[in-house]
Coordinates of all heavy atoms in Angstrom, one line a residue:
K29 N -8.4 37.0 9.5 CA -8.8 38.3 10.1 C -7.6 39.1 10.3 O -6.5 38.6 10.6 CB -9.5 38.0 11.4 CG -10.9 37.4 11.4 CD -11.6 37.7 12.6 CE -13.0 37.0 12.6 NZ -13.0 35.6 12.8
C30 N -7.8 40.4 10.3 CA -6.7 41.3 10.6 C -7.3 42.6 11.3 O -8.4 43.1 10.9 CB -6.0 41.7 9.3 SG -4.4 42.6 9.7
N31 N -6.5 43.2 12.1 CA -6.8 44.4 12.8 C -6.3 45.6 12.1 O -6.5 46.7 12.5 CB -6.3 44.4 14.3 CG -4.9 43.9 14.4 OD1 -4.2 43.6 13.4 ND2 -4.3 44.0 15.6
L32 N -5.6 45.4 10.9 CA -5.2 46.5 10.1 C -5.8 46.3 8.7 O -6.3 45.2 8.4 CB -3.7 46.6 10.0 CG -2.9 47.0 11.3 CD1 -1.4 47.1 11.0 CD2 -3.4 48.2 11.9
R33 N -5.7 47.3 7.8 CA -6.2 47.2 6.4 C -5.1 47.7 5.5 O -5.3 48.7 4.8 CB -7.4 48.1 6.3 CG -8.7 47.6 7.0 CD -9.3 46.4 6.3 NE -10.4 45.9 7.0 CZ -10.4 45.0 8.0 NH1 -9.2 44.6 8.5 NH2 -11.5 44.6 8.6
C34 N -3.9 47.2 5.5 CA -2.8 47.7 4.7 C -3.3 47.6 3.2 O -3.8 46.6 2.7 CB -1.6 46.8 4.8 SG -1.0 46.7 6.5
Q35 N -3.1 48.8 2.6 CA -3.8 48.9 1.3 C -3.3 47.9 0.2 O -4.0 47.6 -0.7 CB -3.5 50.3 0.7 CG -4.3 51.4 1.5 CD -4.2 52.7 0.7 OE1 -4.3 52.7 -0.5 NE2 -3.9 53.8 1.4
Y36 N -2.0 47.5 0.4 CA -1.4 46.6 -0.6 C -1.8 45.1 -0.4 O -1.3 44.3 -1.1 CB 0.1 46.8 -0.7 CG 0.8 46.6 0.5 CD1 1.5 45.4 0.8 CD2 0.9 47.5 1.5 CE1 2.2 45.1 1.9 CE2 1.6 47.3 2.7 CZ 2.3 46.1 2.9 OH 3.0 45.9 4.0
C37 N -2.5 44.9 0.7 CA -2.7 43.5 1.2 C -4.2 43.2 1.2 O -4.6 42.1 0.9 CB -2.1 43.3 2.5 SG -2.3 41.7 3.2
M38 N -5.0 44.2 1.6 CA -6.4 44.0 1.9 C -7.3 45.1 1.4 O -6.9 46.3 1.6 CB -6.5 43.9 3.4 CG -7.7 43.0 3.9 SD -7.9 43.3 5.7 CE -8.4 41.8 6.2
G76 N -0.8 35.3 9.1 CA -2.3 35.4 8.9 C -2.5 36.1 7.6 O -1.7 36.1 6.7
G77 N -3.5 36.9 7.6 CA -4.2 37.7 8.5 C -3.2 38.1 9.6 O -2.0 38.0 9.5
E78 N -3.8 38.6 10.7 CA -2.9 38.9 11.9 C -3.0 37.8 12.9 O -4.0 37.5 13.5 CB -3.3 40.2 12.5 CG -2.7 40.6 13.8 CD -1.1 40.4 13.7 OE1 -0.5 40.8 12.7 OE2 -0.5 39.9 14.7
T105 N 4.1 39.2 12.4 CA 3.0 39.9 13.0 C 3.1 41.4 12.6 O 4.2 41.9 12.4 CB 2.9 39.8 14.5 OG1 2.0 40.8 15.1 CG2 4.3 40.1 15.2
N106 N 1.9 42.1 12.6 CA 2.0 43.6 12.4 C 2.4 44.3 13.7 O 2.6 45.5 13.6 CB 0.7 44.1 11.8 CG -0.5 43.9 12.8 OD1 -0.4 43.9 14.0 ND2 -1.7 43.7 12.2
S128 N 6.2 43.6 11.0 CA 6.1 44.4 9.8 C 6.1 45.9 10.2 O 5.3 46.2 11.1 CB 4.8 44.0 9.0 OG 4.9 42.6 8.7
T141 N -2.6 51.9 6.6 CA -3.2 50.7 7.3 C -4.7 51.0 7.7 O -5.4 50.1 8.1 CB -2.5 50.3 8.6 OG1 -2.7 51.4 9.6 CG2 -1.0 50.2 8.4
M334 N -3.4 38.8 -0.2 CA -2.3 38.3 0.7 C -2.8 38.0 2.1 O -2.3 37.0 2.7 CB -1.2 39.3 0.7 CG 0.1 38.8 1.2 SD 0.8 37.7 0.0 CE 2.1 38.7 -0.7
V335 N -3.7 38.8 2.6 CA -4.2 38.6 3.9 C -4.8 37.2 4.1 O -4.9 36.7 5.2 CB -5.2 39.7 4.3 CG1 -6.5 39.6 3.5 CG2 -5.5 39.7 5.8
Ligands
SF4_402 FE1 -1.4 44.5 6.9 FE2 -0.6 42.0 7.7 FE3 -3.1 42.7 8.0 FE4 -2.1 42.3 5.5 S1 -2.4 40.8 7.1 S2 -3.5 44.0 6.2 S3 0.0 43.1 5.8 S4 -1.3 43.7 8.9

Side-chain angles (χ1 to χ4, degrees):
K29 291 201 179 74
C30 189
N31 48 356
L32 297 181
R33 292 285 178 276
C34 302
Q35 289 192 44
Y36 59 101
C37 178
M38 206 193 213
E78 172 48 40
T105 170
N106 61 33
S128 300
T141 70
M334 197 68 106
V335 68

